[in-house]
Amino acid sequence: MTKQIVIAALTFGAIILGTSNVQAQNTTATTTVNITLNDVISIDAGSTAIGNTVDFNYVTAADYNSDQTITKANSLKVTSTKNFNVKVKAGGANFINGTNFIPVNVLTIKAATASGTMGGTKSAVVLSATDQTLVSNAPLGSALTLNLDYMIPASKSSSSDILGKPAGTYTQTVTYTATAL
C-alpha cells in the first residue's frame, strides 16, 4: 500500500510539474509590419477632362449676344499625398478650323459654383497657351473633385473675335496639370 501511495504521489507530482512546463511555453508572437509610402499625384480616371469635349453652339442671334456657360461635373479628380496646384493651358494660341482661327482668350475656365471636394484657392483663368494657375495650394486628399465652368462671355462672342468668322467647328486642346507642392 505504501508503494501505491508513493506511485500516486509521484504521478501527481509529474502531472503538476508537467502542467507548469506547459504554462512556461510562449503564448505570444511578435511580427514586424512595414508600410512603405511613396509620394503620389494623379489626375484620376473618372475625370471628365480626360478625352471629353466641351461644345459651344452659336445658332441664333441671342446665342451671340449672351454669356454661354457649360458646366462639367467631375472635370478633374485628383489624388495627392501632398498639397498641390492645378494649372491649365491651351495647346496653341487659337481655336482652329482649317485656315481660320478664333483666339483662345475668348474662353474663361473657372470652378463651378458647386465646385466639388477639392479645396484650395480657385481662380478664373482666361485661357492662353501659357500655364496659368486654376487652383493653388489645394490640400492633399484622395479622389478630390473639381467641377468646372467653361464660359464664353457675350463681350467676346459679340466681338470680331467670333463674329465674322466662317461657319464651322473651331477646335483646340486644353491641358490640366496637377503639381505637388
Side-chain angles (χ1 to χ4, degrees):
M1 171 90 144
T2 316
K3 269 185 176 182
Q4 288 176 340
I5 292 177
V6 170
I7 291 173
L10 288 174
T11 304
F12 183 69
I15 290 172
I16 291 175
L17 289 176
T19 304
S20 66
N21 284 344
V22 169
Q23 291 175 349
Q25 293 177 0
N26 289 333
T27 58
T28 61
T30 303
T31 298
T32 300
V33 176
N34 297 318
I35 299 175
T36 303
L37 301 176
N38 289 302
D39 289 332
V40 170
I41 187 158
S42 171
I43 296 177
D44 301 336
S47 298
T48 59
I50 298 174
N52 203 344
T53 60
V54 177
D55 295 315
F56 286 92
N57 293 302
Y58 289 88
V59 179
T60 67
D63 294 336
Y64 286 93
N65 293 311
S66 61
D67 293 345
Q68 298 284 330
T69 301
I70 297 174
T71 301
K72 291 288 187 173
N74 298 318
S75 292
L76 297 174
K77 189 184 287 187
V78 175
T79 296
S80 181
T81 56
K82 297 190 179 294
N83 288 10
F84 61 96
N85 290 338
V86 176
K87 294 189 176 190
V88 61
K89 71 176 181 176
N94 299 298
F95 292 95
I96 299 170
N97 176 8
T99 59
N100 303 303
F101 63 90
I102 296 172
V104 293
N105 69 1
V106 300
L107 180 65
T108 298
I109 301 173
K110 64 179 185 162
T113 303
S115 62
T117 60
M118 186 181 297
T121 304
K122 297 165 185 81
S123 302
V125 171
V126 175
L127 192 60
S128 77
T130 305
D131 267 331
Q132 297 181 78
T133 303
L134 184 63
V135 180
S136 61
N137 200 28
L140 59 88
S142 180
L144 302 170
T145 59
L146 179 63
N147 304 321
L148 292 176
D149 281 346
Y150 295 81
M151 186 185 75
I152 298 177
S155 62
K156 292 292 187 174
S157 60
S158 63
S159 75
S160 62
D161 287 337
I162 292 179
L163 285 178
K165 303 294 182 182
T169 300
Y170 293 75
T171 304
Q172 185 53 263
T173 59
V174 175
T175 301
Y176 297 93
T177 305
T179 307
L181 300 177

